Amino acid sequence: MKWKLAKTATLAAICALITAAPAAADEARGRELISSLGCKGCHQFEGSGGTLAPALDGTGERFDAERIRKQLTEPGSLNPNTMMPSYSHLPEEELKSLVDFLAELK
Ligand code: HEC
């Protein structure tokens, strides 16, 4: 009955792949947005970027998703003198990808 075991193992591997795929895609999207939107002009992230603002590494350890969203859409409400531009013009899909990605950075 060895084949049955192999079949079960294959099925388990396929299931693992299917459940892991969306997370990997979200991470790639998060990194892509941080680069394409120019966040690194001010923020360090994963070893490169500017030094005008706190590094984005570990953002999720310091802030929850709600606070991160506010930072992106209404930075002026958190610090009236902030240099950070508002990203409230972004499509919701991009905002959500960014917020989810940053909230998971731990
Ligand atoms: C022109 C510079 C600039 C750009 C561009 C910028 N930020 Fe910021 N950001 C800041 C500054 C400065 C702060 C520190 C808080 C403040 O002064 O408002 C900050 C704070 C933050 C924080 C809170 C971090 C902390 O530890 O306090 C997050 C998260 C953040 N920015 C994300 C982003 C993302 C994501 C982008 C790109 C979509 C971005 N920022 C683009 C300047 C910038």
Side-chain angles (χ1 to χ4, degrees):
M1 290 302 229
K2 255 191 182 154
W3 63 271
K4 211 170 184 180
L5 210 74
K7 225 168 145 183
T8 311
T10 309
L11 240 150
I14 291 170
C15 289
L17 267 176
I18 291 170
T19 45
D26 286 355
E27 274 193 31
R29 182 83 177 119
R31 286 200 174 80
E32 181 191 306
L33 286 166
I34 285 176
S35 293
S36 65
L37 294 170
C39 313
K40 285 190 184 183
C42 296
H43 293 272
Q44 279 272 328
F45 180 55
E46 296 183 333
S48 68
T51 50
L52 290 168
L56 293 178
D57 307 280
T59 299
E61 280 169 12
R62 301 188 292 275
F63 303 115
D64 63 9
E66 198 180 324
R67 172 66 169 67
I68 294 168
R69 180 174 280 265
K70 195 159 191 178
Q71 180 75 52
L72 293 176
T73 57
E74 310 169 58
S77 73
L78 298 167
N79 172 6
N81 301 314
T82 190
M83 284 189 306
M84 179 153 157
S86 167
Y87 292 87
S88 59
H89 59 281
L90 293 183
E92 174 56 26
E93 177 270 321
E94 293 188 7
L95 259 179
K96 188 175 184 317
S97 298
L98 261 179
V99 170
D100 289 352
F101 177 70
L102 290 167
E104 289 296 317
L105 287 179
K106 292 184 181 167

